[in-house]
């Protein structure tokens, strides 16, 4: 909670240099990096889709179709140039903590493959 409060405070004050990266969430990307876009890692793709269209995280296939169909790589690049991507990352960090885990259970999801993310289990 304190880390999120500090992040929100630094974001409202415009101090984005202290912001965590997309990799520092309890959710880890379960997707391969795009070889044509080495400047956009899977964690950033996951963050963008998680904020704008989280229902596409249900499977790798739907995630890949969304990323390709909506040209997410170029949207992330543009957001980085305009300085708005840090707001997406801040929102993703709060959403990733609350990302529902049970919505993928049941027969409906039996044949769609693994999701685009896995929950990182903290070491004991």
């Amino acid at each position: 909670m304190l880390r999120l409060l500090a992040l929100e405070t630094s974001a409202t004050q415009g101090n984005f240099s202290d912001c965590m990266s997309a990799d520092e969430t309890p959710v880890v990307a379960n997707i391969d990096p795009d070889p044509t876009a080495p400047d956009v890692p899977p964690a950033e793709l996951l963050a963008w889709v998680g904020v704008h269209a989280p229902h596409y995280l249900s499977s790798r296939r739907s995630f890949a179709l969304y990323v390709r169909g909506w040209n997410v790589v170029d949207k992330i690049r543009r957001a980085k140039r305009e300085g708005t991507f840090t707001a997406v990352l801040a929102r993703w960090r709060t959403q990733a903590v609350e990302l529902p885990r049970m919505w993928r259970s049941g027969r409906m999801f039996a044949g769609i493959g693994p999701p685009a993310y896995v929950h990182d289990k903290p070491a004991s």
Side-chain angles (χ1 to χ4, degrees):
M1 290 299 279
L2 291 175
R3 203 172 3 172
L4 289 175
L5 182 62
L7 177 69
E8 288 175 4
T9 304
S10 67
T12 57
Q13 293 174 352
N15 184 10
F16 297 115
S17 62
D18 296 335
C19 288
M20 297 182 292
S21 69
D23 295 325
E24 297 178 8
T25 62
V27 178
V28 178
N30 190 22
I31 52 176
D32 296 325
D34 185 357
T36 61
D39 58 324
V40 181
E44 291 180 356
L45 290 170
L46 187 70
W48 183 274
V49 176
V51 167
H52 297 311
H55 49 285
Y56 284 98
L57 297 179
S58 64
S59 74
R60 286 187 197 173
R61 181 178 174 272
S62 64
F63 177 83
L65 289 173
Y66 181 82
V67 168
R68 185 174 51 245
W70 289 98
N71 205 4
V72 172
V73 171
D74 285 340
K75 290 180 181 184
I76 291 173
R77 287 175 179 155
R78 183 176 53 237
K80 285 180 179 180
R81 276 193 313 270
E82 295 172 354
T84 59
F85 190 64
T86 53
V88 171
L89 291 179
R91 192 165 160 206
W92 169 242
R93 278 183 228 102
T94 59
Q95 283 183 293
V97 172
E98 301 167 0
L99 189 66
R101 299 174 192 181
M102 300 305 292
W103 64 280
R104 275 190 48 87
S105 63
R107 290 181 296 178
M108 184 171 86
F109 293 103
I112 66 170
Y117 64 91
V118 293
H119 286 277
D120 189 24
K121 296 182 172 103
S124 300

